[in-house]
Amino acid sequence: MSRSLLLRSSLSSLRLLRNSSSISSLLSLLPNPPHPGLRIVLPYNYKLVTSTSRPCSHVAAAAASCSSSESESESDINDDLSKVEHLLSNPDDVARLMKMERRCDHNANANANATADGGRSRWFPYLDEFRCGAQCLNSAEVLEALSPHILDVRKDKFRNVVTNRTYSLCLVVEGLCDFGNVSATFRSADALGFQSVHVVSCDSKRYKDNRHVSMGAEKWLDIELWSSIHECFKVLKSRGYRIATTHVGMDAVSIYDMDWSHPTAIVVGNENRGISDEALELSDLHCSIPMKGMVDSFNVSVAAGILMHHAVCDRTSRLGCHGDLTSKESQILLAEFSLRHSKSALSIAHEYAKRKAVMCTPKL
């Protein structure tokens, strides 16, 4: 193994070490001076022990730079928290986050797409249309316009994510008081391939700031805000979802006995009160996670993560995969991700639409 590869491998393990002498030995492998692009992340309680066998002022300098990195990380956390809080308190901004034209809910049943078995319907929210003023682009044109401006590695990431996305399952969070729990559920939903998340009875003033962050997941999710559980459930049922509320009761079905290949909205409730009585009454079924310990409940974000993870595993077992978008739907969602990719994406698409309009204008 080369010295440089050994150095990279060793530094990648620093977070797992707690012995100061071991860490100092690894830091002694750093070149003098350290590479300007090298970033070192040390355990929070690490104290640098200077080796007597080799001067390591450059190591001390590198370690000292960690404090500034921690400040940057703190700033990143605050930025993530403020972004999610802003979205939750501004429905118009949430709507603007989604770029492609969306289907109308009043005709949701007619717009639901039949699955391969022909016996069920599955909701897909987007039309193959992006409005640029008076002009419209389809998903293929959006991708053609933006592709030169996105790195290949990023486009590969988009394709991989879209392959594993589904609208057959969605997450509903009702009346959560802890802002960190909302952020954590967003992050879990994105990581597990859920594209649609619904937040009911959102009041940003009630949320408490803490260390849980969404890691930017809200940028890639379809987030819908609702003022009442009745309104939310009515729309979800019109889209073909069955409503499964998490509840510890005699009538609750174990999540391990459910068929998650059916389009399902998973509902989690308030940290203290749980699911509201109205939500329990309006839901199609109650489900629970079997408990083996002395306590009878999970943290709400943990429960949501367990539910979503099991649903993904069950769907993969039954269907062969979790992601179930058609090729056309995948292309539309790729266009959606491309439009969300950067602040300049919209202006690039609009310029493309202008050039298209000029080319299509007949010459006299």
Side-chain angles (χ1 to χ4, degrees):
M1 181 183 292
S2 67
R3 181 185 176 90
S4 60
L5 180 58
L6 175 62
L7 176 59
R8 289 196 297 272
S9 301
S10 300
L11 289 175
S12 68
S13 304
L14 281 177
R15 283 180 173 175
L16 303 178
L17 298 175
R18 289 296 181 267
N19 184 281
S20 295
S21 61
S22 299
I23 297 176
S24 293
S25 298
L26 290 176
L27 286 175
S28 67
L29 294 173
L30 285 171
N32 189 2
H35 190 277
L38 183 64
R39 181 180 180 185
I40 307 170
V41 180
L42 297 176
Y44 74 95
N45 59 349
Y46 171 70
K47 302 297 183 182
L48 184 65
V49 179
T50 304
S51 170
T52 56
S53 61
R54 176 183 173 186
C56 58
S57 58
H58 66 289
V59 176
S65 68
C66 291
S67 60
S68 62
S69 297
E70 290 173 0
S71 299
E72 293 172 3
S73 298
E74 184 74 24
S75 176
D76 292 341
I77 289 172
N78 292 333
D79 286 346
D80 279 334
L81 288 169
S82 62
K83 287 177 183 176
V84 176
E85 184 175 9
H86 176 78
L87 284 175
L88 292 177
S89 56
N90 292 273
D92 291 341
D93 287 349
V94 172
R96 282 194 291 269
L97 182 65
M98 294 171 272
K99 312 302 182 184
M100 301 292 286
E101 289 297 303
R102 290 176 63 87
R103 300 183 186 276
C104 298
D105 281 306
H106 67 266
N107 197 26
N109 287 325
N111 287 325
N113 302 304
T115 56
D117 61 19
R120 301 169 190 162
S121 61
R122 178 177 52 74
W123 166 257
F124 184 76
Y126 292 107
L127 300 170
D128 190 12
E129 183 178 302
F130 172 64
R131 293 192 180 277
C132 302
Q135 302 295 321
C136 286
L137 300 178
N138 60 37
S139 56
E141 291 170 327
V142 170
L143 293 172
E144 181 181 350
L146 297 178
S147 182
H149 304 276
I150 303 176
L151 294 176
D152 288 340
V153 65
R154 192 62 164 172
K155 287 185 283 189
D156 289 342
K157 178 72 170 179
F158 285 167
R159 284 189 286 267
N160 182 61
V161 169
V162 168
T163 298
N164 293 285
R165 277 300 206 244
T166 186
Y167 284 93
S168 294
L169 298 176
C170 67
L171 178 69
V172 181
V173 293
E174 182 202 16
L176 297 188
C177 295
D178 192 325
F179 178 56
N181 283 330
V182 179
S183 299
T185 56
F186 283 2
R187 183 175 178 180
S188 296
D190 173 69
L192 292 169
F194 284 56
Q195 184 60 30
S196 179
V197 176
H198 302 259
V199 181
V200 184
S201 302
C202 170
D203 181 357
S204 64
K205 293 180 180 179
R206 295 165 54 208
Y207 291 121
K208 300 178 295 182
D209 182 33
N210 67 23
R211 304 294 292 182
H212 293 94
V213 294
S214 64
M215 296 297 288
E218 73 282 348
K219 179 177 179 179
W220 307 108
L221 297 172
D222 293 357
I223 302 171
E224 296 183 67
L225 306 183
W226 305 93
S227 58
S228 72
I229 199 70
H230 181 272
E231 180 187 11
C232 177
F233 282 10
K234 179 181 178 181
V235 170
L236 287 176
K237 288 182 178 182
S238 74
R239 295 177 181 178
Y241 291 102
R242 64 175 179 178
I243 311 297
T245 52
T246 53
H247 177 63
V248 180
M250 296 298 294
D251 61 342
V253 179
S254 169
I255 62 170
Y256 303 120
D257 296 331
M258 293 175 59
D259 180 356
W260 293 96
S261 64
H262 293 267
T264 305
I266 302 171
V267 188
V268 295
N270 181 272
E271 296 88 346
N272 300 315
R273 301 184 302 274
I275 298 289
S276 68
D277 291 339
E278 183 182 12
L280 290 173
E281 183 179 349
L282 294 173
S283 62
D284 297 307
L285 61 94
H286 304 158
C287 64
S288 65
I289 304 170
M291 306 292 293
K292 305 300 183 182
M294 296 296 292
V295 297
D296 61 0
S297 65
F298 287 102
N299 168 276
V300 63
S301 63
V302 173
I306 293 173
L307 279 160
M308 289 188 288
H309 182 266
H310 174 71
V312 171
C313 291
D314 183 79
R315 285 171 54 79
T316 302
S317 175
R318 295 175 186 272
L319 305 175
C321 63
H322 170 59
D324 59 1
L325 300 184
T326 66
S327 58
K328 187 63 176 180
E329 291 167 348
S330 296
Q331 179 175 285
I332 294 173
L333 191 56
L334 275 174
E336 176 70 20
F337 280 6
S338 298
L339 289 166
R340 298 187 193 187
H341 173 63
S342 66
K343 295 180 179 178
S344 61
L346 294 181
S347 60
I348 293 171
H350 279 269
E351 288 300 320
Y352 180 95
K354 290 179 182 178
R355 294 194 300 270
K356 173 189 172 184
V358 170
M359 293 175 62
C360 293
T361 302
K363 296 182 179 179
L364 298 177

